[in-house]
Amino acid sequence: MKTDNQIADAVKNGQREGQDLMVCRYGQEIFAMIVRQVSDVMDAEELTQDTFLRAFRYIDHFDSQRASLGTWLCRIAYRLTLDFLKRKRPLTISIEDTEVCETDINDEQLEAELSSGNEERIQQLEMLIDKLQPDERLLLTLYYFENRSLDECSFIMDSTSHALANRLYRIRKKLYKQFK
């Protein structure tokens, strides 16, 4: 089994085998991340393909000291998907985004309230998540659905871990407020 560095080197050397291995190893992961954000499967497939084409073209920028190959590919997919969603959907700011949240709730209470196993609440939560801004949905996808660390999310989203932790808290608080 080839390592990420061996795959990257093969792609750098123009070897088709390296490209095939990269797509085979990371294609499903990248597609799964994108399809959670993009409603049309064909758009998700096209964005996945664009991700790998861009990766092949810019493989010289891959640095295994900064991130794994999978995380680097997710960063490319994140940027392409975010650009796609910005072109597709006009920017809107909801009233909830501009209001000061009077409800002071700690992390444990927030998690308990939002993670209730009730099927109706799960559907309601999914509908609320679909209404979030594209970058907020992508952050939730990376952190909760793909179980990525804040460090990985910060690399993918080109932000700091601290800023993303604060952002996750605000998103959860906004979802909690909309539940009420």
Side-chain angles (χ1 to χ4, degrees), residues 3-170:
T3 66
D4 284 353
N5 285 338
Q6 289 171 325
I7 292 172
D9 288 341
V11 173
K12 284 178 189 176
N13 294 327
Q15 296 173 1
R16 175 72 183 201
E17 178 192 12
Q19 293 176 344
D20 291 344
L21 280 170
M22 186 186 292
V23 172
C24 194
R25 186 172 293 173
Y26 295 106
Q28 283 300 110
E29 177 182 344
I30 298 301
F31 176 76
M33 183 186 107
I34 294 170
V35 81
R36 284 189 197 105
Q37 308 305 314
V38 179
S39 56
D40 186 286
V41 173
M42 290 186 65
D43 287 337
E45 288 172 348
E46 187 173 327
L47 285 165
T48 301
Q49 183 178 22
D50 290 348
T51 297
F52 284 101
L53 290 174
R54 186 163 293 178
F56 299 154
R57 186 176 308 127
Y58 296 104
I59 193 68
D60 290 334
H61 293 118
F62 169 65
D63 179 1
S64 63
Q65 301 301 312
R66 290 190 64 207
S68 69
L69 187 58
T71 301
W72 182 72
L73 289 167
C74 283
R75 183 178 187 160
I76 295 169
Y78 166 78
R79 289 179 173 169
L80 288 172
T81 302
L82 198 56
D83 288 346
F84 173 82
L85 291 171
K86 285 178 182 176
R87 285 191 313 269
K88 277 288 242 203
R89 182 194 292 189
L91 177 63
T92 57
I93 299 175
S94 69
I95 293 172
E96 291 84 13
D97 288 341
T98 59
E99 289 179 0
V100 175
C101 190
E102 316 84 34
T103 311
D104 197 18
I105 184 169
N106 67 36
D107 274 339
E108 292 78 25
Q109 292 170 312
L110 196 54
E111 286 299 321
E113 187 67 29
L114 292 177
S115 62
S116 159
N118 181 324
E119 183 65 33
E120 184 180 317
R121 283 189 84 90
I122 291 171
Q123 288 177 347
Q124 183 183 8
L125 181 60
E126 287 173 350
M127 287 175 28
L128 292 173
I129 289 172
D130 286 343
K131 293 178 183 177
L132 292 173
Q133 294 297 317
D135 58 327
E136 292 174 329
R137 281 196 325 271
L138 283 165
L139 176 57
L140 290 177
T141 296
L142 292 170
Y143 189 74
Y144 289 107
F145 294 108
E146 295 185 5
N147 297 316
R148 292 189 178 273
S149 69
L150 278 175
D151 287 338
E152 285 181 293
C153 292
S154 67
F155 177 81
I156 292 166
M157 299 180 78
D158 199 22
S159 185
T160 66
S161 297
H162 181 72
L164 292 181
N166 287 334
R167 201 156 172 216
L168 280 169
Y169 178 76
R170 285 194 312 273

